[in-house]
Amino acid sequence: MRHILLWMARNGWLKEHLPRLPFARRAVRRFMPGETAEEALAAAEPFRTHGIGLLFTRLGENLSDLSQAQAIADHYHGLIDEIASRGLDGEISVKLTQLGLDLDPDATLAHGAALSEHAARSGKTFWIDMEGSAYTEATVAMYERLKAEHANVGLCLQAYLRRTPADLHRLLPLHPAIRLVKGAYDEHAAVAFRKRSEVDGAYQSLAVLMLPQAAAGELRLGLGTHDLALVDRIAEYATTAGFPKTCFEVQMLYGIRARDQVRLATSGYRVRDLISYGEAWYAWYLRRLAERPANVAFALRQLFG
Ligand SMILES: Cc1cc2nc3c(=O)[nH]c(=O)nc-3n(C[C@H](O)[C@H](O)[C@H](O)COP(=O)(O)OP(=O)(O)OC[C@H]3O[C@@H](n4cnc5c(N)ncnc54)[C@H](O)[C@@H]3O)c2cc1C
């Protein structure tokens, strides 16, 4: 099921036709408050009362023309201003292919630098998503270049990739901000662990490796996962080592484990909810379905109203 859904995510014909179907538009609402930034910002308000921070991402990847990268960057500059003017504890998270990585890496670097600088003015981190493994090296290298000039840049690393421990060791001296996730793409066994136990084991080892530096304030650690048992194990390790609860942040997606996000925040953990929005939701939505087959049943129920 996972492989079929991830194949569907890459299929051009389905990408063009499926999003037009009303049932698909209804189903995606479970994970996305709307297609506009205004809808995403409005959905952020209830989180404020629980002390839960936000991450915002405008969906989309792989551009065909560099002028689109400028438009995306302009959009994010406007969003940074809007977040600041509303006094939200909100940060942005962006895919580098949205900023033209496929077309002109220097232009992407310039957009990343300008967005980091802008985010820094309100004391916020500019986050970089991690995409499929074809982009890992370029993304890590771009992160190194940005981080050399801007302290407030964060990067997502995927625990399922066999190369991630080496990438982490490469980045640790930079005092990075890392969002650790399991990984959402369909990767070959040569580059990624495919068994759940292996991915979970890799995730835990990477998190535990980062904890001392996170506790010393030399690294910002975001655990981007809904796997509560895994979060509990990492939290237990931190407690036993005498690290404070605040040494990491739990980051989850909008619409998933909403009650647990509030529970974690009220019990003293730092929590951040990622709100996605935009018209280009097809491939992203299929990746969410692939993560949990029960979501497919939910989507199909929308077909019958
Ligand atoms: C804040 C954040 C940012 C992310 N950024 C990236 C990124 O930049 N690059 C990338 O490759 N991946 C990213 N991901 C996705 C990530 O790689 C995983 O695919 C996703 O989080 C599912 O794995 P899991 O860690 O939640 O664990 P799983 O073992 O997949 O799930 C654990 C439990 O969480 C619940 N759950 C998980 N997923 C869903 C879902 N879709 N719907 C309903 N319940 C669910 C289920 O109860 C499941 O049993 C991000 C995830 C988060 C939370």
Side-chain angles (χ1 to χ4, degrees):
M1 173 80 89
R2 180 169 186 266
H3 295 301
I4 293 170
L5 289 163
L6 292 175
W7 170 82
M8 287 171 70
R10 295 190 302 270
N11 185 284
W13 188 89
L14 288 172
K15 195 176 205 158
E16 199 189 322
H17 292 86
L18 240 169
R20 295 185 197 156
L21 302 177
F23 94 90
R25 304 182 77 83
R26 276 200 302 275
V28 76
R29 283 299 180 127
R30 179 172 173 200
F31 299 115
M32 193 181 89
E35 293 188 350
T36 66
E38 187 48 50
E39 285 167 301
L41 287 161
E45 287 301 331
F47 290 91
R48 204 200 281 260
T49 50
H50 299 295
I52 296 177
L54 283 313
L55 275 166
F56 294 95
T57 199
R58 182 181 173 191
L59 296 169
E61 40 208 279
N62 303 92
L63 310 176
S64 52
D65 158 2
L66 208 54
S67 66
Q68 293 170 303
Q70 184 62 57
I72 299 277
D74 291 345
H75 175 89
Y76 278 118
H77 282 294
L79 188 65
I80 292 171
D81 286 336
E82 198 55 45
I83 289 168
S85 76
R86 293 179 191 219
L88 275 172
D89 174 10
E91 301 182 322
I92 61 165
S93 194
V94 178
K95 287 188 173 35
L96 289 183
T97 59
Q98 258 190 322
L99 296 177
L101 186 63
D102 287 320
L103 306 171
D104 183 346
D106 287 336
T108 306
L109 180 69
H111 285 310
L115 286 166
S116 308
E117 235 171 80
H118 194 169
R121 275 183 248 142
S122 44
K124 303 283 167 41
T125 295
F126 165 64
W127 288 95
I128 297 172
D129 288 353
M130 188 56 84
E131 303 178 60
S133 60
Y135 295 104
T136 311
E137 179 53 37
T139 306
V140 173
M142 188 69 76
Y143 180 73
E144 288 177 311
R145 291 174 73 187
L146 280 170
K147 188 75 174 81
E149 304 289 331
H150 307 275
N152 64 318
V153 194
L155 177 69
C156 176
L157 288 180
Q158 298 155 325
Y160 68 3
L161 287 188
R162 296 178 190 276
R163 59 173 285 161
T164 296
D167 286 334
L168 183 60
H169 282 290
R170 178 174 158 189
L171 297 177
L172 284 177
L174 306 180
H175 296 173
I178 300 290
R179 177 209 306 151
L180 185 62
V181 302
K182 290 190 186 179
Y185 297 81
D186 197 16
E187 300 291 359
H188 194 274
V191 296
F193 300 116
R194 312 228 338 159
K195 279 196 207 141
R196 194 193 157 101
S197 59
E198 286 179 319
V199 178
D200 291 0
Y203 192 106
Q204 188 168 334
S205 310
L206 290 161
V208 162
L209 184 74
M210 285 187 272
L211 279 176
Q213 229 176 299
E218 292 169 355
L219 178 151
R220 178 169 167 194
L221 175 58
L223 301 179
T225 182
H226 314 96
D227 188 336
L228 294 172
L230 190 52
V231 171
D232 280 351
R233 287 200 295 277
I234 296 163
E236 205 177 300
Y237 182 94
T239 309
T240 310
F243 302 146
K245 273 183 170 177
T246 50
C247 71
F248 60 82
E249 182 174 88
V250 181
Q251 301 182 347
M252 294 194 186
L253 302 181
Y254 177 87
I256 303 180
R257 297 226 184 271
R259 259 174 294 183
D260 289 304
Q261 293 184 31
V262 174
R263 179 182 57 76
L264 286 166
T266 46
S267 56
Y269 288 100
R270 290 192 297 134
V271 181
R272 196 166 285 275
D273 183 274
L274 190 157
I275 300 183
S276 300
Y277 64 95
E279 290 166 19
W281 47 259
Y282 172 76
W284 167 85
Y285 178 55
L286 267 283
R287 290 199 289 272
R288 300 291 79 79
L289 295 187
E291 282 157 5
R292 194 162 176 255
N295 290 341
V296 178
F298 175 84
L300 290 175
R301 278 202 296 279
Q302 307 308 306
L303 178 60
F304 304 106

